[in-house]
Amino acid sequence: MTVDKIPFHVPSISREDVEAVASTLSSGWLTTGRVARSFEEEFAIAVGAREAIAVNSCTAALHLALAAMGIGEGDEVIIPTMTFAATAEIVIHLGAQPVLVDVCPDSLLIDPDAVAKAISPRTRAIIPVHYGGRAADMDRLKEIATSSGLRIVEDAAHAFPTEYAGKSVGAIGDVTCFSFYATKTITTAEGGMITSEDPELNDVMRSLSLHGLSADAWNRHSPSAPWDYKIVRAGYKYNMPDTVAALGLSQLSRAFEMRDQRRAIAERYDVRFRDVPEIAPLAAGDADAHSWHLYVVRLQVGSMGMSRNDVITHLSSEGIGTSVHYRPLHMHPYYEGRFAGTEAFPIAAAAFDDIVSLPIFPGMTEEMVDRVASVLVEVATRHRG
Ligand SMILES: *Cc1c(COP(=O)(O)O)cnc(C)c1O
């Protein structure tokens, strides 16, 4: 087989996935019900959490977490500048202020020292992002949060399955939010999950996820449920339908196997780049604890005499898809100069010039990995003459 086109990502959809969705479609029950409940139970078991709440995106999960904590007008929430739009916008939707901080140079994970410096009397919470699928320094962050009375909401959109100090992400902080977006480690096309050990927060988040109905009314999705329900707060419409949960349940059964496949790809890339100083993979920590959602390299663009964008254009002309995670938030027009501390983040800004995310997905063959590596090594070492 020749590998002409290697996309950045191809979702892994099995015959069982298709059958699970099809059988839910013909079951007579389409929206949130028995299947969504099973997905929650199985997911909670997979990460070792007390409870899981299925929602329709990670963005919704993050929004509910902060809303349930009562975060709003006048409050500040600390987030890394190296993240996706969702992590910041949900803070703004609640009337609070995102306070951006810089990241660590070797991992691009939120820098605990920068977090400690950014705390003000208005700070209520920290949202660490487990960038690429490696857990942030949760021990330090928990220490800082405890000593300043802050909550931690983990943006674990990249981090299933990820471990930290022998525990699964999802059973560590106050609330953890996962994504099942099309490109994530398991997918429901669109979807998310919240895990938390705090029963009171769980009740509020579950209620908020479905119009603020009372917790018992949430069970009305069963044929024998009474017609009556009580609205106890102004909620949102963030519940996950059974048609979507069916895909999630089916994907969940392959989550660890798919992680192993991504890890093998990462290890193969590592070997190819080991003696190429122009290509530096991010520090991965313990490879077995990493979800390997992303495989990010930093390029020595200075010595290569070409820009990161030139490299991406070259790979693209060879049929190889890549991505960049991320243009830091403080370098987007909306955020530039708008919020406290959005001036300069030297580590994230420098990284933005030289990072590139390479293809890494379960269906990638060794031949495809080798082709990506060869094309990248060739272009990165061309300057040597
Ligand atoms: C994908 C992603 C999100 C949002 O997830 P959705 O399920 O698409 O809402 C949030 N944060 C990070 C870091 C992400 O990569």
Side-chain angles (χ1 to χ4, degrees), residues 106-175:
D106 60 336
S107 63
L108 305 187
L109 291 166
I110 191 167
D111 177 358
D113 292 327
V115 171
K117 278 196 212 114
I119 293 172
S120 85
R122 292 168 171 270
T123 310
R124 296 281 313 279
I126 308 165
I127 311 183
V129 175
H130 300 312
Y131 178 91
R134 177 180 176 183
D137 186 347
M138 292 301 293
D139 286 341
R140 286 276 328 274
L141 292 170
K142 276 181 137 176
E143 237 174 71
I144 293 167
T146 305
S147 68
S148 302
L150 310 178
R151 308 300 293 259
I152 295 181
V153 174
E154 293 164 70
D155 181 336
H158 301 179
F160 178 70
T162 291
E163 283 93 44
Y164 177 84
K167 272 190 157 183
S168 295
V169 165
I172 298 168
D174 294 320
V175 179

Side-chain angles (χ1 to χ4, degrees), residues 155-210:
D155 181 336
H158 301 179
F160 178 70
T162 291
E163 283 93 44
Y164 177 84
K167 272 190 157 183
S168 295
V169 165
I172 298 168
D174 294 320
V175 179
T176 309
C177 302
F178 296 90
S179 175
F180 309 131
Y181 178 68
T183 59
K184 301 286 162 72
T185 55
I186 68 168
T187 187
T188 60
E190 302 283 355
M193 192 71 83
I194 313 172
T195 60
S196 174
E197 299 305 299
D198 182 332
E200 272 169 53
L201 268 185
N202 278 330
D203 285 349
V204 178
M205 291 189 292
R206 191 176 286 285
S207 160
L208 281 174
S209 75
L210 192 66

Side-chain angles (χ1 to χ4, degrees), residues 66 71 74-83 87-92 96-103 110-111 114-129 150 329-330 335 338-343 345:
L66 294 190
I71 288 169
D75 294 333
E76 291 177 357
V77 177
I78 297 174
I79 66 172
T81 187
M82 195 53 108
T83 188
T87 323
E89 73 196 6
I90 47 105
V91 178
I92 295 164
Q97 299 272 322
V99 173
L100 305 183
V101 298
D102 213 343
V103 291
I110 191 167
D111 177 358
V115 171
K117 278 196 212 114
I119 293 172
S120 85
R122 292 168 171 270
T123 310
R124 296 281 313 279
I126 308 165
I127 311 183
V129 175
L150 310 178
L329 287 179
H330 74 279
Y335 288 97
R338 180 167 303 198
F339 294 99
T342 44
E343 49 295 325
F345 302 97

